[in-house]
Amino acid sequence: MPSPMVSIINVSKRFGALQALDEVSLEIPRGAVQCIIGPSGSGKSTLLRCINQLEPTDSGAIFLEDELLGFERKGDKLLELSEGQIAGQRMKTGTVFQRFNLFQHMTARENIVEGPLRVLNRPRGEVMDEAVALLERVGLADKSGAYPAELSGGQQQRVAIARALAMRPKLLLFDEPTSALDPELVGEVLAVMHDLASTGMTMIVVTHELAFARDAASNVVFMDRGRIVEQGLPTTILTEPTEQRTRDFIGAER
Amino acid sequence: MRSAEPGRNAGSRGEIMEQNNLSRTGLAPTRGERKAIANLEIVPRRHLGRWVTAAVIAVLLALVIKAFAEGDIAWGVVAEFFAAPAILFGLVNTVVMTICAMSLGIALGVVFAVMYMSPNPVIRVVAWGYIWLFRGTPLILQLLLWFNLALVFPTLGIPGLIEVRTVEFMTPFVATLLGLGLNQGAYTAEVMRSGILSVDSGQTEAAKSIGMTRLLTLRRIVLPQAMRVIIPPVGNEVISMVKLTSIASVIQYAEILRNAQTIYYANARVIELLIVAAGWYLIVVTLLQIGQYQLERSFAKGQTHRGNHKPGRAVENA
Ligand SMILES: Nc1ncnc2c1ncn2[C@@H]1O[C@H](COP(=O)(O)OP(=O)(O)O)[C@@H](O)[C@H]1O
Ligand SMILES: [Mg+2]
């Protein structure tokens, strides 16, 4: 039995008096599409940020395959890794942000090649060819020289996905990737995500697009107040949830 | 108060009411009147005030020019010394010092701005102390301190390795460079810091998410975008620096003002030589302003063309 792609074990995180994550545990198998739903402020983003080590956890452990993230075990203590070591772990996980966060001073292609060139130190020619292929894959072959400000939200988000893919990550995190988009641009981004899911990429997707969760997810988690309230197959969670809170949320989202 | 709704009966009672309305408020022209108004010719507003100011300024300017022309200024002397070797030599020294001190200032500014924002509290305190010290004391005092350092430390260096006599090392050039550069660094650090803070934190997070280290993120992502905010104030400071170098005349650095003074001590043409120096400062500053404008345009990259939203590929999706 191979280890899961991600194991989250009893992860907690506080912001002052606020318990943003409360003993969260979750296993995500290789190639799975894990959707996370839940009301605003329930800790979904915080969980993704902990996985990508943009926030340090207070307790608990997160593994990417067999690698403990953020710490090194010394006897019965966990020692924090150095900044460089954390950067090294981060590049195995790609993140797609709600607000795209494309590098504003770089063209679409420059955004995509930045990581492979500067972080992975791969040869330029190879990286450039790959960028062309990635832009084609997200349907933006003609936009390689455009700056983010010249692209629509949907186009920016697709470039952001290509930028994440260029690092050849083992895992992709999506934090409400379509929430900042005009309704008519949501479809083009979801299409790219569907395509990724079908190629076997392991993905964790925080989303309010219940239709996407129904069609693409292998598992859906409902979170509320920093806890996982309920999880299961999309059909179960989205159509016949057991918990009242889940039912209320899904009723309201419709 | 609204009236004259379209489609309203234009009966006599209505017209009377309308006139009443008009006489009461002076507003609400009838539909016919509105049409007539729409056909009238537009006469641009006459900016009488502008003509008056222009006239006043022209008169004042003429008076000033007359005063200078009739005053005791030998314009021939100004022309004679404008390109004199000592003046040109001073000009070169002024420009060289501006470049060196500003480069040192910018380098220190970046370093201390980054230190100021370090997660390490000791490093933060060091940066705070540097900015506090050099912003808290007058520049001229700092120059004099550097120049007279030999009084405190007769020799400088690493014991056993290199050692120099301070008076020989601390030439007017070195003292001026240290004084202006270290002082500038303290001010530039603040500018850099606000520039760095102006870059959206999402940019840093995106850089981290592709595995960039803090330093690489700073160099590749944050600083290039901060430049847009940093260049205008730094450009102004370069211009200030050109003029600030004149302060080094107090420690015998041979910049343009000092050399102009040396000449007028000999020939007593004080105003003429000050005019020569002023002319050169204006020329250098004007050139710098043109350069600043070009630089600002080139760093606005990716910030223009907002709103050019073309619809993306429409994709079928359930
Ligand atoms: N950096 C932070 N500092 C303080 N509170 C935070 C911070 N980040 C998130 N929170 C709080 O933690 C809770 C969970 O936030 P978040 O994970 O963003 O929720 P979600 O993504 O589900 O809407 C919220 O109440 C939010 O206000
Ligand atoms: Mg969120």
Side-chain angles (χ1 to χ4, degrees):
Chain A
M1 190 68 193
S3 47
M5 183 58 83
V6 185
S7 333
I8 300 164
I9 305 156
N10 294 336
V11 166
S12 294
K13 171 77 187 173
R14 314 178 65 94
F15 293 110
L18 183 101
Q19 191 78 46
L21 292 177
D22 189 2
E23 300 277 313
V24 171
S25 294
L26 185 62
E27 278 200 351
I28 298 149
R30 215 168 289 265
V33 177
Q34 174 70 62
C35 279
I36 302 178
I37 60 172
S40 166
S42 58
K44 308 180 298 292
S45 298
T46 305
L47 182 60
L48 291 195
R49 293 169 61 81
C50 286
I51 296 171
N52 205 19
Q53 306 190 61
L54 293 173
E55 296 286 357
T57 56
D58 293 341
S59 62
I62 303 174
F63 289 84
L64 182 65
E65 294 188 307
D66 297 322
E67 188 178 16
L68 173 62
L69 296 184
F71 299 93
E72 183 182 20
R73 186 178 170 170
K74 274 269 161 67
D76 57 355
K77 292 268 190 307
L78 293 182
L79 304 184
E80 266 184 63
L81 292 182
S82 73
E83 199 244 322
Q85 288 171 309
I86 288 177
Q89 290 185 335
R90 270 202 199 105
M91 65 176 100
K92 296 171 192 159
T93 307
T95 303
V96 176
F97 300 89
Q98 182 175 347
R99 305 210 42 82
F100 333 131
N101 295 351
L102 287 182
F103 304 134
Q104 295 296 312
H105 60 308
M106 296 182 179
T107 63
R109 188 186 45 238
E110 287 167 350
N111 265 277
I112 293 170
V113 301
E114 183 68 10
L117 284 183
R118 307 281 163 177
V119 178
L120 301 176
N121 294 311
R122 288 175 48 201
R124 174 168 277 272
E126 186 186 310
V127 168
M128 288 294 172
D129 292 346
E130 211 172 278
V132 173
L134 279 169
L135 279 168
E136 232 158 68
R137 184 165 170 192
V138 298
L140 292 171
D142 55 333
K143 294 291 181 194
S144 86
Y147 286 98
E150 299 166 333
L151 297 172
S152 75
Q155 292 170 333
Q156 289 189 58
Q157 195 60 299
R158 286 185 280 152
V159 173
I161 294 174
R163 175 177 69 182
L165 286 175
M167 294 298 290
R168 297 178 177 165
K170 295 177 174 178
L171 168 71
L172 272 187
L173 308 176
F174 294 82
D175 192 357
E176 301 197 26
T178 57
S179 295
L181 297 179
D182 293 337
E184 74 271 20
L185 303 178
V186 168
E188 62 192 64
V189 172
L190 292 182
V192 170
M193 291 167 62
H194 268 289
D195 172 53
L196 277 177
S198 69
T199 62
M201 170 63 76
T202 312
M203 296 159 56
I204 306 181
V205 184
V206 172
T207 187
H208 288 285
E209 295 291 333
L210 298 187
F212 176 83
R214 189 188 62 221
D215 297 342
S218 30
N219 184 279
V220 176
V221 157
F222 174 71
M223 281 185 74
D224 192 20
R225 291 185 220 154
R227 286 168 176 273
I228 291 181
V229 175
E230 161 164 38
Q231 63 170 302
L233 291 174
T235 43
T236 319
I237 300 293
L238 298 172
T239 55
E240 46 199 39
T242 27
E243 297 288 327
Q244 186 58 43
R245 275 189 279 175
T246 320
R247 241 176 276 156
D248 292 346
F249 175 77
I250 287 167
E253 285 290 307
R254 284 244 158 76
Chain B
M1 178 146 246
R2 236 148 260 195
S3 68
E5 317 248 305
R8 192 173 61 85
N9 276 345
S12 62
R13 255 188 81 205
E15 256 159 40
I16 289 165
M17 273 173 64
E18 202 141 70
Q19 274 166 6
N20 282 348
N21 248 348
L22 257 179
S23 57
R24 253 209 326 275
T25 62
L27 289 172
T30 63
R31 231 200 291 174
E33 278 170 346
R34 288 171 200 226
K35 273 222 182 92
I37 286 171
N39 287 330
L40 296 180
E41 188 197 347
I42 293 174
V43 181
R45 195 181 148 81
R46 303 248 309 274
H47 297 283
L48 206 64
R50 292 186 195 174
W51 289 105
V52 174
T53 9
V56 171
I57 297 291
V59 170
L60 288 177
L61 206 61
L63 289 175
V64 170
I65 289 173
K66 185 165 173 285
F68 269 91
E70 290 173 355
D72 192 8
I73 298 172
W75 290 99
V77 176
V78 173
E80 181 192 336
F81 280 98
F82 202 76
I87 292 293
L88 293 184
F89 180 67
L91 176 68
V92 169
N93 279 345
T94 292
V95 171
V96 167
M97 181 53 72
T98 302
I99 294 169
C100 293
M102 206 61 212
S103 307
L104 181 61
I106 289 173
L108 290 173
V110 173
V111 169
F112 281 99
V114 172
M115 285 172 66
Y116 205 95
M117 291 187 280
S118 161
N120 181 337
V122 178
I123 290 180
R124 274 205 306 273
V125 168
V126 170
W128 181 88
Y130 165 77
I131 293 171
W132 172 78
L133 185 65
F134 285 95
R135 289 215 313 186
T137 50
L139 178 59
I140 194 161
L141 185 150
Q142 290 173 32
L143 282 186
L144 290 169
L145 273 180
W146 286 114
F147 193 54
N148 294 304
L149 200 68
L151 301 179
V152 195
F153 308 109
T155 61
L156 292 173
I158 304 160
L161 267 177
I162 27 167
E163 213 164 60
V164 288
R165 288 185 55 224
T166 307
V167 268
E168 282 165 14
F169 173 73
M170 213 35 93
T171 58
F173 178 85
V174 173
T176 307
L177 177 62
L178 286 176
L180 292 176
L182 285 166
N183 191 265
Q184 188 59 45
Y187 283 92
T188 311
E190 285 291 298
V191 173
M192 295 285 166
R193 198 166 72 94
S194 60
I196 289 170
L197 289 175
S198 77
V199 178
D200 180 42
S201 64
Q203 297 288 306
T204 312
E205 295 200 338
K208 281 183 176 173
S209 81
I210 57 170
M212 289 183 138
T213 56
R214 246 168 58 87
L215 224 59
L216 193 61
T217 303
L218 190 72
R219 193 163 63 78
R220 294 287 307 168
I221 308 300
V222 177
L223 280 182
Q225 294 187 64
M227 281 304 162
R228 219 165 34 92
V229 174
I230 289 170
I231 284 177
V234 168
N236 289 338
E237 293 192 348
V238 173
I239 288 167
S240 300
M241 179 64 85
V242 174
K243 295 172 289 171
L244 218 52
T245 52
S246 62
I247 212 176
S249 57
V250 300
I251 56 168
Q252 286 104 54
Y253 179 63
E255 46 70 58
I256 190 163
L257 181 61
R258 167 101 197 153
N259 286 7
Q261 286 176 319
T262 311
I263 297 173
Y264 72 60
Y265 289 147
N267 68 4
R269 292 293 187 181
V270 178
I271 294 293
E272 288 79 359
L273 279 144
L274 290 179
I275 289 174
V276 166
W280 278 115
Y281 281 118
L282 285 172
I283 290 171
V284 173
V285 166
T286 306
L287 292 177
L288 284 173
Q289 277 171 340
I290 295 169
Q292 181 183 8
Y293 172 75
Q294 299 294 346
L295 214 64
E296 275 172 29
R297 283 208 334 188
S298 84
F299 271 103
K301 203 167 61 172
Q303 306 294 336
T304 48
H305 317 297
R306 261 238 166 266
N308 179 18
H309 281 201
K310 298 207 189 88
R313 182 180 60 141
V315 179
E316 277 281 300
N317 186 56

